[in-house]
Amino acid sequence: MYRETIRQSIVEIVEPLLQGQGFELVELQLQQQKGQWLIRVFADIMGGISLEDCQRLSLEIGQAFEVEDLLSTSYVLEVSSPGLDRPLYTARDFQRQRQRMVTVFLTPPHMGHVQQTGRVAAVTASHLVLHLPPDTPLTIPLPQIDYGVVELEFK
């Protein structure tokens, strides 16, 4: 219970700080290691987050923690990008990947397929539209998508 209370307090500090600068809190991980907290903040922004963004946000979040006197024990704070290989779950996750190739894993199967690979063409609150090669649109209800992953393209 204590861990979840700490986690929620961290989210209440971090999320508005990020949103105020146009960033999104993608994930927050909280672990106890060797008597101190390890706090991992994964943030993103349309167009991607830079190393300089991560450094600046780390300083700002650390300062906010000190002002709020949030943690009575020592902690390690890491701020980073969620990475290209992270799973995509929400409409917002897919929206960030517009025009990229993704593979979606479907539950239950959609039109006889358990997975589909295509370029993200459009995303609504309820559907994902992929353009399958050679450019055939396919609309998939988001609730049928278990998760998706970005496909790396080499030119």
Side-chain angles (χ1 to χ4, degrees), residues 85-89 94 101-110 113-118 128 130 140-151:
D85 61 345
R86 79 175 179 95
L88 310 171
Y89 296 107
F94 287 104
M101 291 294 285
V102 299
T103 297
V104 291
F105 297 87
L106 308 166
T107 308
H110 181 70
H113 295 275
V114 293
Q115 73 182 51
Q116 288 284 357
T117 300
L128 169 68
L130 293 179
I140 304 171
L142 285 174
Q144 284 189 263
I145 299 173
D146 187 24
Y147 68 97
V149 293
V150 174
E151 295 295 329

Side-chain angles (χ1 to χ4, degrees), residues 2-141:
Y2 174 71
R3 183 176 184 275
E4 189 53 39
T5 302
I6 292 288
R7 186 183 189 291
Q8 186 57 41
S9 297
I10 291 170
V11 168
E12 289 171 7
I13 292 170
V14 171
E15 199 160 40
L17 190 149
L18 293 176
Q19 287 176 348
Q21 298 180 51
F23 292 92
E24 175 189 0
L25 176 61
V26 174
E27 184 179 356
L28 179 87
Q29 294 177 353
L30 180 64
Q31 300 171 338
Q32 246 187 329
Q33 291 184 337
K34 300 177 186 173
Q36 66 182 4
W37 289 106
L38 172 60
I39 304 165
R40 289 192 175 115
V41 174
F42 295 92
D44 207 357
I45 191 168
M46 199 63 94
I49 187 169
S50 69
L51 180 58
E52 292 78 21
D53 290 332
C54 291
Q55 291 171 333
R56 181 176 46 79
L57 290 171
S58 180
L59 287 172
E60 292 176 13
I61 292 168
Q63 289 170 350
F65 286 174
E66 297 305 315
V67 167
E68 294 293 326
D69 195 27
L70 179 63
L71 300 164
S72 58
T73 62
S74 63
Y75 64 90
V76 174
L77 173 64
E78 296 177 2
V79 177
S80 69
S81 159
L84 283 178
D85 61 345
R86 79 175 179 95
L88 310 171
Y89 296 107
T90 66
R92 190 170 177 132
D93 289 342
F94 287 104
Q95 182 66 36
R96 264 196 307 277
Q97 305 306 325
R98 280 188 54 118
Q99 301 306 317
R100 285 196 157 142
M101 291 294 285
V102 299
T103 297
V104 291
F105 297 87
L106 308 166
T107 308
H110 181 70
M111 297 174 61
H113 295 275
V114 293
Q115 73 182 51
Q116 288 284 357
T117 300
R119 194 164 303 280
V120 177
V123 184
T124 68
S126 60
H127 289 85
L128 169 68
V129 178
L130 293 179
H131 276 184
L132 306 179
D135 199 23
T136 306
L138 174 67
T139 301
I140 304 171

